[in-house]
C-alpha cells in the first residue's frame, strides 16, 4: 500500500497452486471454468459483505467430480458439486477451518 499498490491487490487471498485449474477435480472445460469462476466470485463477494474476507487467511471454491441430486419442477436433476473452503493460519504451513456463520 505504501508503494501505491491498491489495498485490494495487496490483501488479496493467495490462490492454491496455479489458480483455477488446480481447483477443478477432473476434466477442465470452458463450462466448468465458467461455473467455478461464478461460484468463487459469489463466495468472495459474500465474505466481503459479511466482513469475513479480511479475517480469514484464504477462501476459495472447488469444483468436485461428483454430482448431487436436487428437484427442479417435478423431476430429479443431478448437478456438479462445488465445495467452499475458508481457513485461518498464522504461517501458511498449517491451517484450521475458519468458522463461518450459518446465516
Amino acid at each position: 500500500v505504501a508503494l501505491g499498490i491498491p489495498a485490494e491487490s495487496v490483501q488479496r487471498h493467495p490462490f492454491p497452486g496455479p489458480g483455477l485449474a488446480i481447483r477443478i477435480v477432473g476434466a477442465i472445460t470452458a463450462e466448468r471454468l465458467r461455473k467455478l469462476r461464478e461460484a468463487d466470485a459469489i463466495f468472495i463477494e459474500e465474505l466481503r459483505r459479511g466482513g469475513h474476507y479480511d479475517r480469514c487467511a484464504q477462501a476459495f471454491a472447488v469444483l468436485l467430480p461428483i454430482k448431487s441430486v436436487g428437484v427442479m419442477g417435478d423431476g430429479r436433476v443431478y448437478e456438479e458439486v462445488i465445495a467452499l473452503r475458508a481457513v485461518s493460519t498464522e504461517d501458511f504451513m498449517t491451517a484450521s477451518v475458519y468458522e463461518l456463520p450459518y446465516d
Side-chain angles (χ1 to χ4, degrees):
V1 178
L3 297 174
I5 301 169
E8 187 174 293
S9 294
V10 173
Q11 300 299 325
R12 184 172 183 239
H13 290 186
F15 270 40
L20 289 174
I22 199 73
R23 296 190 279 152
I24 294 179
V25 182
I28 299 168
T29 66
E31 176 60 15
R32 294 185 88 214
L33 283 165
R34 184 199 62 74
K35 286 179 185 179
L36 181 57
R37 281 187 186 103
E38 183 177 349
D40 198 63
I42 292 168
F43 185 37
I44 298 302
E45 178 183 326
E46 290 300 320
L47 286 172
R48 284 191 169 120
R49 186 178 307 174
H52 295 280
Y53 184 82
D54 291 330
R55 290 189 283 197
C56 64
Q58 187 178 50
F60 54 89
V62 177
L63 185 57
L64 302 176
I66 60 173
K67 292 191 176 190
S68 182
V69 68
V71 176
M72 194 175 295
D74 292 331
R76 291 183 182 187
V77 293
Y78 296 87
E79 294 293 338
E80 293 179 297
V81 174
I82 292 181
L84 303 177
R85 182 174 187 220
V87 298
S88 297
T89 184
E90 293 187 21
D91 58 10
F92 282 91
M93 296 297 288
T94 59
S96 300
V97 172
Y98 179 81
E99 298 288 335
L100 290 168
Y102 292 107
D103 59 348

